[in-house]
C-alpha cells in the first residue's frame, strides 16, 4: 500500500516549475528573526488559472537532532480567476509566494511543500546554519 510520503515529488527547481523555491539566509545568529519566502514557479512560471493553480504552501523547520518537525506556517492561495461570470473572468489571481518569519537557537533544515490542484504534492528543502 502506498503511503502519503511516497506521493511527495521532488526535483531541481531550476527545471521543474512545481518545486517550491526557498529564499532564506544560509546562516543566522541564535534567536535572530529568520525571514523566509517560498515561491512556486520562480525560475519557470507555473500556470495560475482557475483550472490549474497552486492551492497552498506549507513551511516546516526540522531542528538538527530532533525527531519531529515544526510547522512554521501554511499559506492558502485563494483567488484563481473565478468569478460569478465563470472561470478565469475575475482578473484576480493570487501569486503563489509565501512569506513567514521565525527564530531558533538550533541549526536544521527548512522544508517547503506545495500543492498543485492537478499535479499533486511537491517539496523543496534548504539547510539553515545557526552560529
Ligand atoms: Fe501544476
Amino acid at each position: 500500500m502506498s503511503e502519503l510520503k511516497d506521493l511527495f515529488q521532488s526535483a531541481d527547481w531550476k527545471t521543474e516549475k512545481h518545486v517550491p523555491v526557498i529564499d532564506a539566509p544560509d546562516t543566522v545568529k541564535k534567536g535572530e528573526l529568520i525571514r523566509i519566502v517560498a515561491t512556486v514557479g520562480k525560475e519557470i512560471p507555473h500556470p495560475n488559472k482557475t483550472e490549474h493553480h497552486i492551492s497552498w504552501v506549507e513551511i516546516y523547520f526540522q531542528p538538527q537532532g530532533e525527531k519531529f518537525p515544526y510547522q512554521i506556517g501554511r499559506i492558502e492561495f485563494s483567488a484563481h480567476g473565478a468569478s460569478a461570470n465563470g472561470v478565469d473572468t475575475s482578473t484576480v489571481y493570487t501569486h503563489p509566494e509565501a512569506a513567514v518569519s521565525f527564530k531558533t537557537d538550533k541549526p536544521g533544515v527548512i522544508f517547503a511543500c506545495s500543492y498543485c490542484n492537478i499535479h499533486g504534492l511537491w517539496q523543496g528543502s534548504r539547510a539553515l546554519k545557526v552560529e
Side-chain angles (χ1 to χ4, degrees):
M1 193 171 94
S2 163
E3 294 189 48
L4 181 62
K5 66 180 182 183
D6 299 327
L7 302 181
F8 279 90
Q9 304 167 82
S10 193
D12 184 348
W13 58 266
K14 288 179 181 152
T15 56
E16 170 47 62
K17 62 179 176 283
H18 288 93
V19 177
V21 180
I22 302 167
D23 282 318
D26 292 322
T27 306
V28 295
K29 293 183 178 13
K30 276 186 186 179
E32 180 186 358
L33 205 56
I34 304 154
R35 296 181 194 280
I36 294 173
V37 179
T39 312
V40 176
K42 187 168 183 176
E43 193 77 12
I44 309 167
H46 183 276
N48 191 5
K49 297 285 191 182
T50 306
E51 65 274 14
H52 185 194
H53 55 261
I54 302 300
S55 297
W56 51 259
V57 163
E58 291 177 343
I59 297 166
Y60 295 86
F61 182 64
Q62 171 88 48
Q64 194 174 348
E66 292 197 20
K67 182 174 180 182
F68 302 113
Y70 296 94
Q71 186 181 42
I72 303 300
R74 174 187 168 96
I75 294 87
E76 302 270 350
F77 307 116
S78 303
H80 305 290
S83 82
N85 294 320
V87 301
D88 295 314
T89 55
S90 76
T91 77
V92 179
Y93 296 89
T94 314
H95 184 65
E97 178 179 282
V100 296
S101 300
F102 73 106
K103 53 189 180 179
T104 178
D105 285 352
K106 296 179 180 176
V109 180
I110 300 163
F111 291 93
C113 57
S114 63
Y115 178 68
C116 167
N117 70 318
I118 59 177
H119 296 118
L121 294 160
W122 293 81
Q123 62 182 343
S125 64
R126 177 184 181 121
L128 179 74
K129 295 188 194 111
V130 176
E131 57 188 23

